[in-house]
Amino acid sequence: SQTIHQWPATLVQPVGSPLSLECTVEGTSNPNLYWYRQAAGRGLQLLFYSVGIGQISSEVPQNLSASRPQDRQFILSSKKLLLSDSGFYLCAWSVGRSPGNTIYFGEGSWLTVV
Amino acid sequence: GEDVEQSLFLSVREGDSSVINCTYTDSSSTYLYWYKQEPGAGLQLLTYIFSNMDMKQDQRLTVLLNKKDKHLSLRIADTQTGDSAIYFCAERGFQKLVFGTGTRLLVSP
């Protein structure tokens, strides 16, 4: 069966520090991978998605970046965090891109920028 | 563009039915989803419905879709305290899911 792992689960970082959140998927190959963010009291916003190694699409301009160095690994990074980067970050995966392919989520990472 | 709206809060008593509503704007959406998020956790897929269906039932969950009005609802029968969570409606475009802001369901004993 397929599983998705995301870490760290919680993170407290000072403003201006770097960020690295990692996500891996097991039990499938060539998944589509996604990073979503849920800010306090708000819905989920798609940040990045990837359909293959080295292929990253950004949905919103921001000081975050994503990379996919391996088929089942997706990394969310920042060189200098802002207070507004605080939130709950969710990695997700799907097989294929058609609307019928369900997207499955990891357990999320809580980021607090202080 | 795509937009999904939900009411923010719903409170029910244990044993009652809960109905969570959602409206969406993208008429080309072919799949619509309901996700559940428990405190501090990721999103759990509850159910989904294809746009050519009006209703889908899965145990205590019933999804109703009114495609003309772009209205989706999730009914939870015999609501339990363990159903307390945030429920997200989402519409599926080609590359991504677009989510509503979520409805916080509070179930009191």
Side-chain angles (χ1 to χ4, degrees):
Chain A
S1 64
Q2 299 90 358
T3 56
I4 180 169
H5 302 284
Q6 184 180 341
W7 69 93
T10 59
L11 199 59
V12 180
Q13 292 284 101
V15 169
S17 63
L19 170 73
S20 180
L21 298 178
E22 188 165 343
C23 171
T24 59
V25 179
E26 296 176 0
T28 188
S29 59
N30 196 30
N32 290 338
L33 296 171
Y34 309 84
W35 278 110
Y36 280 84
R37 176 171 61 196
Q38 182 181 21
R42 301 180 64 181
L44 284 155
Q45 179 186 38
L46 178 64
L47 302 176
F48 301 95
Y49 67 90
S50 170
V51 300
I53 296 174
Q55 300 178 60
I56 308 294
S57 296
S58 175
E59 286 290 300
V60 292
Q62 58 212 324
N63 72 321
L64 300 171
S65 62
S67 61
R68 185 170 177 172
Q70 300 181 48
D71 180 45
R72 289 169 291 174
Q73 183 185 27
F74 206 24
I75 299 172
L76 182 69
S77 303
S78 174
K79 291 182 180 177
K80 288 185 179 181
L81 284 168
L82 305 172
L83 286 174
S84 58
D85 292 324
S86 294
F88 189 50
Y89 289 81
L90 287 156
C91 180
W93 71 274
S94 70
V95 175
R97 291 181 285 173
S98 68
N101 298 115
T102 302
I103 296 178
Y104 298 92
F105 287 85
E107 289 301 307
S109 299
W110 282 102
L111 170 65
T112 303
V113 182
V114 296
Chain B
E2 307 134 325
D3 192 21
V4 180
E5 293 188 357
Q6 299 178 239
S7 53
L8 292 179
F9 188 75
L10 176 65
S11 179
V12 300
R13 288 189 178 276
E14 192 173 19
D16 289 348
S17 292
S18 306
V19 179
I20 302 171
N21 295 301
C22 169
T23 58
Y24 61 98
T25 58
D26 187 359
S27 58
S28 66
S29 293
T30 53
Y31 283 85
L32 296 130
Y33 299 79
W34 284 104
Y35 281 84
K36 176 183 179 182
Q37 185 183 29
E38 296 184 5
L43 270 70
Q44 173 193 2
L45 176 65
L46 287 179
T47 187
Y48 63 91
I49 187 168
F50 186 50
S51 61
N52 69 351
M53 299 170 63
D54 298 324
M55 184 182 82
K56 180 179 179 181
Q57 188 158 1
D58 183 2
Q59 299 183 333
R60 293 191 296 120
L61 304 179
T62 303
V63 179
L64 295 178
L65 175 60
N66 181 330
K67 195 174 181 181
K68 174 176 173 290
D69 295 337
K70 300 192 188 97
H71 182 266
L72 183 74
S73 68
L74 174 69
R75 178 177 180 270
I76 305 173
D78 188 24
T79 313
Q80 303 297 306
T81 54
D83 294 324
S84 293
I86 301 175
Y87 291 80
F88 288 92
C89 156
E91 61 176 349
R92 178 70 190 260
F94 185 64
Q95 298 279 16
K96 61 187 181 183
L97 287 178
V98 177
F99 288 87
T101 53
T103 299
R104 183 178 296 275
L105 174 65
L106 177 64
V107 183
S108 54

